[in-house]
């Protein structure tokens, strides 16, 4: 055998001194690129393994050529020392081949093979007692269909059919798999049982391309528990459900978690509780799979079993526990996340609070928050009860009875005024309010966990990054809760050295910025605070806003307007000296604003001019039409007096008034748009001057268009109506069509312009910290 070695490194090991090859330099995974996990993978695995063994002349250890030499116990004299040495060399090389083989098996396959070998007579449960040939032969018996003599089934052993042509055998096997797969999908147990009785395929054979067994398919496609139960009963008695895996390493419980088959999951856990802690090849447990697929009911079932199991505590702690909670929060199931967090004792990192900061729901407005509390329900119930109490018995009549009835009537009317709007609005907002309340409750629980997970010196590792992420997301409730729970968080700084207020200005997070007005003496610190580059708070406000915040505003003109509003707001907060203070680059805040917003001002000018030009054409066209209509009135004029023929007709009066209003409004609109086209477009003009002109122009254009349509409708009635009132119906319908279209398409722009220019400021000086908790109780988020 020494002379047959072709590998350079193997030849050095083979000879009189080294009779067995030992290529220890070989990296086996370069040859065998996957783990053997089932019968369907055996042919590919065998081909790669034989390539590895043949290329290094190691096949003798699996085909019986390299047999174990006699040990020193069976020889005597001079041969004793040489026998010991040769036996040691053979054992070393055999262990190398054995390591190659065992290293290429999946965990479940390895366990199954070793268990089978240890059950054989005269063997002990010790891997050192098995040589490479024993393991190779056992794998061949288990997975090579061409030599496997028997297949276990419910009815006893059956001879596996032999095909002379391996290709035909493979095709027939694939055909059998397809037939069984279709039978399972149909859910007809009689067909499935008939096919399984043929004893060609078992329920643990892999029948799909992803290596799923018949049991995997049944659990993943059927909701019939009786059907799944019968499938499980057809599994061989020695089969462990923990070893029934597909190509991804998924157990039956993993599949139930993927599809959300809660009933099947409960059945599987009753049969094999160990499935709860099994991991696939990517390290995911069934609970993690159910959470990532947002199957709340299945997740709750798995969570119940985990919390009732002693081993489950390990899943709800450390990094793996944090990952589970992050999965639930990312799916925005805050109620399940809260119930999961109740079983936690500590947190491992800031990942949970970071996930909450990234997925925190939008805050309900004042009306939604009020209607969503229990307070209003108590008020309604109490008011109705009081009203009924005042009504009392209706016997007799007197002053006191009249007063009681009057008060009861007032209360009933008041309650109807409150109850009816509540009943109309509540169905549309209750889901939003519910989600927000659940997120708030979870936030409190997470803060408590952070508090008990660390000492005061290490708490900042848990909340610093989430604090700035919440600031970027404008989630002021998270910021307020963190700072109220951990007061030192107010001085936290990110990697660039900015605190939360500075970062709120940079990120244009107005709700977090408004928390300035809830501070006491610390508020004054921000008036003069400067960063490492000498920038005060006004310098930071002069920077261009992040793209994601600008994109929330339609039109470059409104974007520059919002930037000016931020600059003016911060300018009114900082000390007057800061408005002219220069940074390290010798720039004042105004110089920074001009430089940063130069391109945006140009874009705003283009947007404003393009908008004004479009509406100028419309206004000019309307002016021409209504002016011509005023000269050539419908029906003509009286030849003797020169007055219109329909002067005394009501429809003519409507025409005259509408035409006049349309003409004056169109001219006003035209002048406004022309003034925009000739404006100088300075930065400050975008704050009030230009938006005001655009609002007036659009409003008058809308009035002009509407009155023009009314005038035209009146003309149609005068000329073609002939005192027939029924023609008014199609005229009114057709008149409403363009008016409605204009309002639908253009009115939102008017509303947005008016709201941005004259509406309530986003920088509320009032206390936004007060709110209601999920029980309708007033709470205070202030941190000072």
């Amino acid at each position: 055998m020494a002379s047959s070695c072709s590998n350079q490194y193997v030849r050095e090991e083979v000879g009189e001194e080294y009779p067995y090859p030992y290529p220890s330099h070989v990296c086996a995974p370069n040859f065998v690129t996957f783990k053997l996990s089932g019968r369907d993978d055996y042919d590919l695995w065998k081909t790669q393994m034989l390539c590895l063994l043949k290329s290094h002349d190691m096949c003798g250890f699996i085909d019986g050529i390299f047999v174990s030499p006699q040990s020193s116990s069976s020889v005597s004299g001079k041969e004793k020392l040489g026998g010991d040495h040769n036996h040691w060399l053979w054992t070393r090389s055999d262990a190398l081949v054995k390591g190659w083989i065992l290293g290429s098996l999946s965990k479940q396959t390895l366990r199954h093979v070793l268990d089978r070998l240890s059950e054989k007579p005269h063997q002990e449960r010790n891997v050192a007692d098995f040589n490479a040939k024993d393991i190779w032969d056992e794998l061949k018996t288990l997975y090579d269909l061409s030599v496997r003599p028997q297949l276990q089934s419910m009815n006893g052993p059956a001879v596996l059919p032999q095909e002379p042509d391996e290709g035909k055998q493979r095709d027939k096997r694939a055909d059998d798999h397809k037939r069984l797969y279709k039978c399972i999908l149909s859910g007809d147990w009689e067909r499935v049982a008939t096919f399984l009785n043929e004893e060609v395929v078992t329920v643990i054979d892999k029948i799909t391309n992803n290596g799923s067994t018949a049991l995997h398919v049944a659990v993943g496609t059927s909701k019939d528990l009786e059907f799944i139960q019968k499938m499980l009963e057809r599994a061989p008695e020695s089969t462990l459900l923990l070893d029934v895996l597909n190509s991804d390493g998924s157990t039956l419980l993993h599949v139930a978690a993927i599809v959300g088959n809660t009933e099947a999951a409960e059945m599987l856990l009753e049969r094999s509780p160990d499935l709860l802690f099994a991991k696939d090849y990517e390290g995911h447990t069934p609970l993690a799979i159910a959470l990532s697929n947002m199957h709340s009911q299945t997740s709750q079932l798995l969570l119940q079993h985990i919390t009732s199991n002693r081993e489950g505590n390990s899943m709800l702690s450390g990094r793996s526990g944090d990952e589970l909670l992050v999965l639930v929060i990312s799916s925005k199931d805050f109620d399940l996340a809260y119930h999961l967090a109740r079983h936690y004792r500590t947190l491992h990192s800031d990942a949970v609070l970071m996930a909450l900061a990234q997925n925190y729901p939008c805050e309900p407005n004042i009306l939604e928050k009020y209607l969503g509390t229990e307070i209003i329900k108590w008020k309604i119930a109490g008011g109705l009860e009081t009203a009924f109490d005042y009504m009392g018995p209706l016997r007799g009549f007197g002053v006191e009875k009249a007063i009681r009835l009057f008060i009861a009537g007032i209360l009933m009317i008041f309650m109807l005024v409150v109850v009816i709007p509540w009943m109309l609005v509540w169905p549309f907002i209750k889901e939003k309010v519910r989600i927000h309340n659940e997120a708030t409750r979870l936030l409190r629980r997470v803060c408590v966990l952070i508090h008990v997970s660390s000492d005061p010196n290490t708490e900042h590792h848990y909340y610093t990054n989430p604090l700035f992420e919440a600031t970027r997301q404008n989630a002021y409730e998270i910021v307020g809760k963190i700072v109220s729970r951990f007061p030192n968080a107010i001085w936290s700084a990110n990697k660039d050295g900015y605190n939360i207020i500075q970062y709120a200005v940079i990120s244009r997070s107005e709700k977090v910025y408004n928390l300035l007005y809830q501070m006491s003496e610390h508020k004054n610190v921000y008036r003069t605070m400067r960063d490492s580059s000498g920038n005060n708070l006004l310098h930071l406000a002069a920077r261009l806003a992040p793209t994601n915040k600008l994109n929330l505003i339609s039109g470059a003109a409104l974007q520059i307007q919002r930037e000016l509003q931020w600059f003016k707001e911060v300018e009114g907060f900082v000390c007057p000296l800061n408005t002219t203070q220069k940074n390290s680059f010798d720039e004042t805040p105004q110089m920074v604003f001009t430089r940063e917003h130069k391109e945006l001002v140009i874009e705003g000018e283009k947007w404003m001019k393009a908008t004004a030009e479009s509406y100028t054409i419309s206004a000019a066209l309307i002016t021409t039409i209504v002016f011509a209509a005023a000269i050539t009135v419908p029906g003509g004029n009286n030849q003797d007096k020169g007055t219109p023929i329909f002067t005394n007709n009501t429809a003519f009066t409507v025409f005259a008034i509408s035409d006049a209003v349309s003409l004056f409004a169109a001219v006003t609109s035209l002048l406004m748009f022309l003034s925009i086209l000739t404006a100088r477009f300075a930065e400050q003009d975008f704050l009030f001057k230009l938006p005001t002109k655009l609002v007036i122009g659009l409003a008058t254009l809308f009035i002009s268009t509407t009155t023009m349509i009314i005038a035209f409708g009146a003309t149609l009635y005068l000329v073609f109506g002939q005192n027939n009132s029924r023609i008014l119906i199609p005229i009114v319908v057709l008149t409403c069509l363009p008016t409605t279209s204009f309002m639908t398409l253009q009115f939102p722009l008017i509303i947005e312009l008016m709201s941005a220019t004259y509406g309530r400021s986003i920088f509320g000086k009032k206390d936004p910290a007060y709110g209601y908790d999920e029980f309708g109780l007033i709470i205070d988020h202030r941190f000072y």
Side-chain angles (χ1 to χ4, degrees):
M1 291 303 297
S3 61
S4 64
C5 292
S6 59
N7 187 285
Q8 174 184 352
Y9 299 97
V10 176
R11 283 200 303 269
E12 293 177 359
E13 293 285 345
V14 179
E16 292 181 0
E17 186 178 357
Y18 300 103
Y20 304 107
Y22 186 66
S24 59
H25 65 283
V26 177
C27 184
N30 291 339
F31 289 84
V32 186
T33 57
F34 65 94
K35 302 283 188 180
L36 175 61
S37 59
R39 195 180 308 158
D40 294 340
D41 303 331
Y42 178 76
D43 290 339
L44 294 176
W45 174 85
K46 178 181 177 182
T47 301
Q48 291 189 349
M49 183 59 70
L50 286 176
C51 290
L52 170 64
L53 296 172
K54 288 179 180 178
S55 64
H56 296 87
D57 285 343
M58 303 291 280
C59 289
F61 289 94
I62 63 170
D63 57 17
I65 295 178
F66 289 154
V67 296
S68 175
Q70 292 179 336
S71 63
S72 60
S73 59
S74 59
V75 297
S76 60
K78 298 180 179 180
E79 297 179 356
K80 183 173 183 178
L81 183 59
D84 280 341
H85 183 63
N86 289 341
H87 185 268
W88 177 82
L89 291 175
W90 179 88
T91 302
R92 183 180 66 159
S93 298
D94 181 75
L96 179 63
V97 177
K98 185 164 55 174
W100 287 351
I101 297 174
L102 296 178
S104 65
L105 306 180
S106 68
K107 183 178 179 181
Q108 289 72 22
T109 303
L110 176 60
R111 183 188 303 167
H112 186 52
V113 170
L114 295 180
D115 287 345
R116 285 179 60 88
L117 288 171
S118 63
E119 292 172 358
K120 294 187 175 182
H122 309 296
Q123 294 281 12
E124 297 179 1
R125 185 176 285 271
N126 189 344
V127 69
D129 296 329
F130 314 137
N131 58 40
K133 187 176 186 305
D134 293 334
I135 299 174
W136 183 270
D137 291 342
E138 188 63 32
L139 289 171
K140 192 172 184 180
T141 302
L142 284 172
Y143 298 121
D144 193 344
L145 292 177
S146 62
V147 300
R148 189 179 180 191
Q150 291 185 340
L151 187 69
Q152 294 293 332
S153 68
M154 294 295 297
N155 301 325
V159 178
L160 194 68
Q162 298 289 330
E163 294 286 348
D165 186 357
E166 187 177 351
K168 291 181 179 179
Q169 182 185 13
R170 188 179 297 110
D171 292 341
K172 184 179 184 303
R173 183 173 53 186
D175 241 11
D176 293 336
H177 291 170
K178 290 180 180 178
R179 287 174 56 196
L180 180 57
Y181 181 77
K182 291 180 179 179
C183 291
I184 296 174
L185 289 182
S186 67
D188 188 347
W189 171 248
E190 293 184 1
R191 291 177 57 193
V192 175
T194 301
F195 190 83
L196 292 175
N197 288 337
E198 296 177 5
E199 300 174 352
V200 177
V201 183
T202 68
V203 293
I204 62 172
D205 288 338
K206 297 181 178 181
I207 63 174
T208 65
N209 292 334
N210 69 337
S212 294
T213 66
L215 289 175
H216 283 94
V217 177
V219 171
T221 60
S222 177
K223 296 288 185 179
D224 187 351
L225 295 182
E226 185 179 355
F227 179 84
I228 299 175
Q229 181 65 37
K230 291 179 179 178
M231 290 286 292
L232 290 171
E233 291 173 356
R234 285 300 186 103
E237 293 181 0
S238 60
T239 301
L240 295 176
L241 293 185
L242 203 61
D243 296 332
V244 181
L245 307 173
N246 62 11
S247 300
D248 300 326
S250 299
T251 64
L252 300 179
L253 190 58
H254 280 95
V255 175
I258 291 173
V259 300
N261 195 344
T262 307
E263 294 79 7
E266 189 167 9
M267 177 189 296
L268 291 169
L269 287 173
E270 290 177 358
R271 186 182 177 103
S272 179
D274 292 340
L275 291 172
L276 193 63
F277 306 101
K279 296 182 179 181
D280 59 16
Y281 293 152
E282 295 184 359
H284 298 149
T285 61
L287 178 59
I289 294 294
L291 293 175
S292 61
N293 286 275
M294 294 183 290
H295 296 306
S296 298
Q297 189 176 0
T298 307
S299 301
Q300 290 173 357
L301 171 70
L302 298 176
L303 181 60
Q304 290 174 3
H305 283 270
I306 288 175
T307 54
S308 62
N309 194 306
R310 293 181 179 178
E311 298 180 15
N313 292 331
S314 60
M315 293 181 62
L316 304 181
S317 60
R319 189 175 300 276
S320 61
D322 288 2
E323 290 174 354
L324 286 177
L325 204 50
V326 168
L327 276 175
V328 192
I329 296 173
S330 300
S331 64
K332 294 182 172 56
D333 192 345
F334 300 108
D335 184 53
L336 178 60
Y338 173 74
H339 287 93
L340 180 62
R342 289 178 60 190
H343 299 285
Y344 282 59
R345 295 294 176 265
T346 59
L347 292 178
H348 183 267
S349 66
D350 65 351
V352 176
L353 192 56
M354 177 66 77
L356 196 54
Q358 293 171 339
N359 296 278
Y360 202 78
C362 296
E363 179 195 10
N365 58 40
I366 296 176
L367 177 62
E368 292 172 341
K369 186 179 292 186
Y370 178 73
L371 293 179
T373 61
E374 295 292 332
I375 290 179
I376 189 172
K377 298 177 184 178
W378 296 340
K379 287 181 178 180
I380 293 173
L384 291 174
E385 184 178 356
T386 304
F388 285 117
D389 289 342
Y390 267 99
M391 291 179 68
L394 297 178
R395 297 176 183 176
F397 187 83
V399 177
E400 183 180 357
K401 182 68 67 175
I403 294 174
R404 293 173 64 88
L405 287 174
F406 177 77
I407 295 175
I410 295 297
L411 286 172
M412 290 293 291
I413 294 174
F414 175 76
M415 294 311 301
L416 288 176
V417 171
V418 175
V419 170
I420 292 176
W422 181 80
M423 293 178 64
L424 293 175
V425 175
W426 177 244
F428 299 98
I429 66 171
K430 64 178 182 180
E431 186 66 15
K432 180 179 179 181
V433 173
R434 181 187 65 81
I435 293 174
H436 183 266
N437 286 338
E438 290 172 354
T440 303
R441 184 174 59 173
L442 174 63
L443 175 60
R444 294 173 188 167
R445 176 59 184 169
V446 171
C447 288
V448 170
L449 287 175
I450 292 175
H451 183 72
V452 301
S453 298
S454 59
D455 58 67
N457 296 325
T458 60
E459 284 177 344
H460 64 279
H461 295 299
Y462 288 86
Y463 62 69
T464 300
N465 291 331
L467 180 66
F468 284 94
E469 177 63 22
T471 301
R472 189 182 71 84
Q473 297 283 353
N474 204 18
Y476 90 93
E477 290 177 287
I478 293 183
V479 175
K481 188 63 179 178
I482 292 175
V483 176
S484 63
R485 187 77 187 188
F486 313 103
N488 289 332
I490 193 67
W491 305 116
S492 298
N494 64 1
K495 60 181 180 180
D496 297 320
Y498 296 116
N499 56 45
I500 57 173
I501 300 299
Q502 291 174 316
Y503 192 64
V505 173
I506 295 172
S507 303
R508 299 299 190 263
S509 302
E510 67 277 358
K511 292 181 180 179
V512 178
Y513 172 81
N514 287 337
L515 293 177
L516 267 173
Y517 298 100
Q518 314 313 316
M519 299 180 182
S520 55
E521 69 277 4
H522 298 289
K523 176 171 60 176
N524 296 321
V525 176
Y526 292 100
R527 298 182 188 274
T528 57
M529 183 175 288
R530 304 180 71 176
D531 65 8
S532 58
S533 299
N535 295 309
N536 58 40
L537 204 61
L538 191 56
H539 281 99
L540 302 180
R543 293 182 181 180
L544 185 65
T547 304
N548 64 315
K549 294 299 178 71
L550 286 177
N551 290 339
L552 297 175
I553 307 170
S554 59
L558 292 178
Q559 291 175 356
I560 188 65
Q561 182 191 47
R562 178 57 60 85
E563 290 291 271
L564 284 166
Q565 290 172 347
W566 263 100
F567 188 79
K568 293 296 182 183
E569 164 64 26
V570 178
E571 186 179 30
F573 171 76
V574 298
C575 295
L577 182 63
N578 288 5
T579 58
T580 57
Q581 194 174 49
K582 293 184 178 181
N583 59 14
S584 301
F585 303 100
D586 204 31
E587 291 180 316
T588 64
Q590 184 60 53
M591 294 168 63
V592 174
F593 186 91
T594 302
R595 174 175 53 81
E596 290 274 335
H597 295 83
K598 182 179 180 180
E599 294 297 328
L600 188 59
V601 170
I602 295 174
E603 291 298 322
E605 179 181 350
K606 291 180 180 179
W607 182 87
M608 191 69 77
K609 283 185 175 181
T611 304
E613 286 175 356
S614 301
Y615 290 126
T616 299
I617 297 173
S618 301
L621 183 61
I622 293 174
T623 302
T624 304
I625 293 173
V626 297
F627 182 78
I631 297 175
T632 59
V633 295
N637 297 322
N638 191 312
Q639 296 296 328
D640 298 331
K641 299 181 180 180
T643 57
I645 296 175
F646 298 114
T647 299
N648 298 324
N649 196 307
T650 305
F652 183 80
T653 304
V654 173
F655 162 77
I657 296 174
S658 300
D659 191 75
V661 171
S662 180
L663 177 61
F664 297 143
V667 172
T668 304
S669 177
L670 182 60
L671 292 175
M672 285 294 113
F673 292 132
L674 288 176
S675 68
I676 292 175
L677 293 175
T678 57
R680 63 192 181 111
F681 291 100
E683 289 176 1
Q684 302 301 321
D685 291 344
F686 285 94
L687 188 58
F688 287 108
K689 189 175 181 180
L690 290 174
T692 299
K693 290 181 178 180
L694 190 58
V695 167
I696 296 174
L698 286 172
T700 52
L701 181 62
F702 172 72
I703 295 172
S704 176
T705 304
T706 304
T707 52
M708 179 189 68
I709 297 299
I710 295 174
F712 182 72
T715 302
L716 288 178
Y717 178 74
L718 285 171
V719 176
F720 303 104
Q722 299 176 356
N723 295 325
N724 184 3
S725 58
R726 287 182 297 180
I727 199 173
L728 285 174
I729 297 176
I731 290 176
V732 171
V733 172
L734 294 175
T735 301
C736 292
L737 181 62
T739 305
T740 305
S741 300
F742 188 94
M743 290 185 64
T744 304
L745 300 175
Q746 303 300 328
F747 211 65
L749 178 59
I750 300 176
I751 297 299
E752 189 172 1
L753 280 167
M754 294 182 66
S755 176
T757 307
Y758 310 107
R760 182 181 178 184
S761 175
I762 60 174
F763 307 103
K765 305 299 189 297
K766 296 181 179 179
D767 190 350
Y770 289 107
Y772 298 93
D773 64 8
E774 65 270 22
F775 303 107
L777 302 176
I778 297 178
I779 56 174
D780 187 358
H781 296 304
R782 292 181 299 177
F783 26 92
Y784 294 104

